[in-house]
Amino acid sequence: MTLARLAGLPLLAAVLLAGCGIRATEVPTNFGPAPSRVRCSLAEPDVSAQAARGLPVQVFLLCGSSLVTVDRTVRVPDGAADSERRMLVAQGLLDQLAETPSSAEKAAGYSTDVRGGITVGGPGKGDPEDMLRLSTAPDSLTSYALAQIVCTFSDSAAAEGDGSVVLGGPGPEAPRRYECTDEVRARPGSTEPPSKGVAGE
C-alpha cells in the first residue's frame, strides 16, 4: 500500500463516521423503513356500536409530545334543551379526557394529563353566552392538560366550532378565548393555547 493511500485512511474514516449519525426519534424504532414520529394508532372503531352507547365525539389525548384525536362517546338524553345538551357534552368530554386510557390505548402510546374531578358549568351573570366555567382555573392547569381541554372543546358541540372556546375558572378572573392551533397540537408541552380577553365581543 502506498504512502498516499495510507495518508488518506484517517480522512476516509472521519467521513464514514460522520455519515453514520442517526437522528433520534421520539419513539423506539425497529430499524425498519423510515420510522414514523407518531406511533399512536388503533384499529378502526365500530361506529355503529359507539352510536348505540351514546353521542360519538372525539377527544385529544397525548401521543409522545403531540396531541391526537381518539373516538369516544358521551351520554346525552333525548330531548335535552340546547343549553343543557351543551353542558352535558362538555362534562362528558372532560370525563373522557380524565379517564385512564384503555390497555390497548396505553400499548399504542396514548396518555392524558387531565386529572379527574374537574367539572364544567355554563356562563354566570355578565359572562359571554358561549362561556364554559371550569371548577379549576385554566391557568392552574398544566400546559398539556390545558391544550387537551381547549382542543377537545373547540372541536366539539360544546363550543361554536370555530377552533376556539371561551373558558373561565371558579373565581372572578375574566374569561378568555383560547384557540387550538397547529402549533399547540404539535407541541402542547411548550406551546400554550393562545388566548385573549373577551370583553366587548
Side-chain angles (χ1 to χ4, degrees):
M1 182 175 292
T2 67
L3 289 176
R5 288 181 179 177
L6 288 173
L9 286 178
L11 178 60
L12 176 62
V15 171
L16 289 174
L17 288 173
C20 287
I22 298 176
R23 286 177 176 245
T25 59
E26 293 174 3
V27 296
T29 61
N30 60 358
F31 303 104
S36 170
R37 292 177 66 84
V38 179
R39 62 187 170 127
C40 298
S41 178
L42 293 170
E44 288 296 319
D46 184 345
V47 177
S48 61
Q50 283 191 345
R53 296 194 300 268
L55 176 70
V57 295
Q58 287 190 322
V59 300
F60 280 83
L61 297 184
L62 297 168
C63 172
S65 61
S66 303
L67 291 181
V68 291
T69 55
V70 175
D71 293 309
R72 290 282 197 269
T73 59
V74 296
R75 288 285 188 181
V76 179
D78 292 335
D82 288 346
S83 58
E84 180 187 7
R85 178 185 178 86
R86 181 169 171 262
M87 291 302 105
L88 289 170
V89 169
Q91 187 62 59
L93 291 171
L94 265 181
D95 293 343
Q96 289 295 329
L97 284 172
E99 192 171 288
T100 302
S102 67
S103 298
E105 288 169 346
K106 284 182 179 178
Y110 292 100
S111 64
T112 183
D113 213 46
V114 178
R115 300 295 172 252
I118 302 177
T119 59
V120 61
K125 185 178 181 180
D127 287 338
E129 290 184 1
D130 58 346
M131 179 180 179
L132 296 172
R133 278 203 174 272
L134 303 177
S135 60
T136 298
D139 60 7
S140 70
L141 298 168
T142 66
S143 59
Y144 288 108
L146 181 60
Q148 284 184 260
I149 291 172
V150 167
C151 288
T152 296
F153 279 170
S154 65
D155 195 38
S156 75
E160 298 296 318
D162 62 352
S164 70
V165 61
V166 179
L167 295 178
E173 298 83 3
R176 299 187 66 82
R177 182 176 294 279
Y178 294 84
E179 291 184 57
C180 178
T181 64
D182 291 340
E183 291 76 14
V184 170
R185 288 189 289 268
R187 294 181 296 276
S190 58
T191 305
E192 289 199 355
S195 66
K196 62 180 181 180
V198 295
E201 281 195 0

